[in-house]
Amino acid sequence: MLLNSSFLLSNISFPYTPSSCHTTQAFPRQKSTSQCCLAASLQDKRVREQKVNILQYEDNMKRRSLLFFLITSGISPALPAFGKTKSKNPYDERRLLEQNKRIQRENNAPEEFPSFIREGFEVKVVTSDNYVKRDSGLIVWDFAVGEGDCPKDGQQVTFHYIGYNESGRRIDSTYLQGKPANIRMGTKALVPGFEEGIRDMRPGGKRRIIIPPELGPPVGPSTFFSSKQFEVFDVELLGVQDCKRRTIGFYSDVVCY
């Protein structure tokens, strides 16, 4: 039950009133008047303190009543948290790395395959010192450099490749298809990362290309990837051919030789 502040104030006796410091004598003494006013001032201070305490008591009782109502009605009040805030700890990189390596072994991933430590949207690529990361984000490792000139726009490249996902699982291979791929450079027929990785290769060269999501293919049912992930390709450049357009009557095509 809440106690009304007016009720509490009405039951407090105040022996002092502002007029009590005035004497009724015709010729008051100066010392008596000073003592009277000093006592009145102290009494007035105590009265003000009593009023403040009563108001604080009433406010606390209201808060307790409200809290009791919320708890009994099944409503959880939002109480301030004074405990120590838990800081964001870095994810267990070693545990995730071991887990990634175990999955790669199960998928028969090739040797020195890169590891991808993924925690939510954060991905860290762990590779050996053989890999080189470019400013674009592309990561490459040359197994063999090859000989000859690098392909240029308009030329056709013939190559074999094996594609892997982050877990080291093979998703595509021209070796299994029994036929290499032929693509003209500069026609946007390749994903940006793949074309960048093959552009500075030489015939006979072999390279592993790690393509980040921003240089990979679009996500959709028509691609091999259902989400934005890193892609790994082992590429063998077989040859580079010049191409020219020929027109016969109303027919026109491109011939590479």
Side-chain angles (χ1 to χ4, degrees):
M1 177 178 179
L2 298 179
L3 298 179
N4 196 321
S5 60
S6 60
F7 170 77
L8 294 174
L9 292 175
S10 63
N11 286 274
I12 297 177
S13 59
F14 302 135
Y16 160 73
T17 56
S19 60
S20 62
C21 68
H22 297 285
T23 179
T24 56
Q25 298 178 0
F27 302 96
R29 296 179 181 179
Q30 183 177 2
K31 184 176 180 180
S32 299
T33 304
S34 300
Q35 293 177 348
C36 179
C37 291
L38 178 60
S41 178
L42 295 175
Q43 185 65 26
D44 186 42
K45 182 179 179 180
R46 287 195 294 269
V47 171
R48 289 197 299 270
E49 291 177 352
Q50 288 179 350
K51 292 182 178 180
V52 171
N53 292 336
I54 292 172
L55 294 177
Q56 290 178 350
Y57 172 79
E58 184 181 32
D59 185 63
N60 290 335
M61 291 298 295
K62 289 181 178 180
R63 290 177 181 270
R64 292 181 181 180
S65 299
L66 178 60
L67 181 61
F68 177 77
F69 170 75
L70 292 176
I71 294 176
T72 55
S73 60
I75 302 175
S76 299
L79 300 177
F82 297 100
K84 184 177 180 181
T85 303
K86 184 178 180 181
S87 59
K88 182 180 179 181
N89 296 325
Y91 53 82
D92 190 354
E93 182 174 315
R94 182 177 179 180
R95 177 182 58 83
L96 295 176
L97 181 60
E98 293 176 353
Q99 180 181 359
N100 187 261
K101 287 294 186 182
R102 177 180 56 80
I103 297 175
Q104 290 179 2
R105 288 194 298 268
E106 294 175 355
N107 292 330
N108 296 320
E111 295 182 0
E112 293 196 49
F113 193 81
S115 296
F116 301 91
I117 303 176
R118 180 178 292 273
E119 182 75 6
F121 295 101
E122 184 179 358
V123 182
K124 181 178 180 180
V125 183
V126 180
T127 64
S128 65
D129 296 334
N130 296 321
Y131 291 86
V132 177
K133 185 176 182 179
R134 299 180 177 178
D135 294 337
S136 62
L138 194 74
I139 304 175
V140 299
W141 177 17
D142 284 318
F143 304 134
V145 177
E147 298 178 353
D149 296 331
C150 299
K152 302 179 180 61
D153 287 344
Q155 291 182 323
Q156 178 177 272
V157 291
T158 303
F159 58 91
H160 275 298
Y161 72 89
I162 304 175
Y164 304 91
N165 59 15
E166 292 182 1
S167 301
R169 176 175 295 178
R170 185 175 57 199
I171 57 177
D172 192 19
S173 173
T174 56
Y175 294 104
L176 295 180
Q177 297 173 7
K179 181 180 179 181
N182 296 304
I183 297 294
R184 288 182 61 204
M185 299 292 291
T187 60
K188 298 182 179 181
L190 298 171
V191 297
F194 196 101
E195 184 165 345
E196 178 184 343
I198 204 175
R199 182 175 291 277
D200 56 351
M201 291 183 66
R202 301 178 186 276
K206 296 181 179 180
R207 169 179 289 181
R208 178 169 293 165
I209 305 172
I210 305 176
I211 304 177
E214 55 270 19
L215 297 178
V219 175
S222 60
T223 67
F224 294 106
F225 306 94
S226 59
S227 62
K228 291 291 184 180
Q229 293 189 354
F230 283 80
E231 307 156 22
V232 182
F233 290 93
D234 287 342
V235 183
E236 179 184 3
L237 183 60
L238 301 177
V240 179
Q241 295 177 313
D242 292 326
C243 301
K244 70 175 183 180
R245 180 172 293 278
R246 66 177 181 179
T247 301
I248 302 176
F250 296 99
Y251 176 78
S252 177
D253 62 355
V254 176
V255 179
C256 299
Y257 51 92

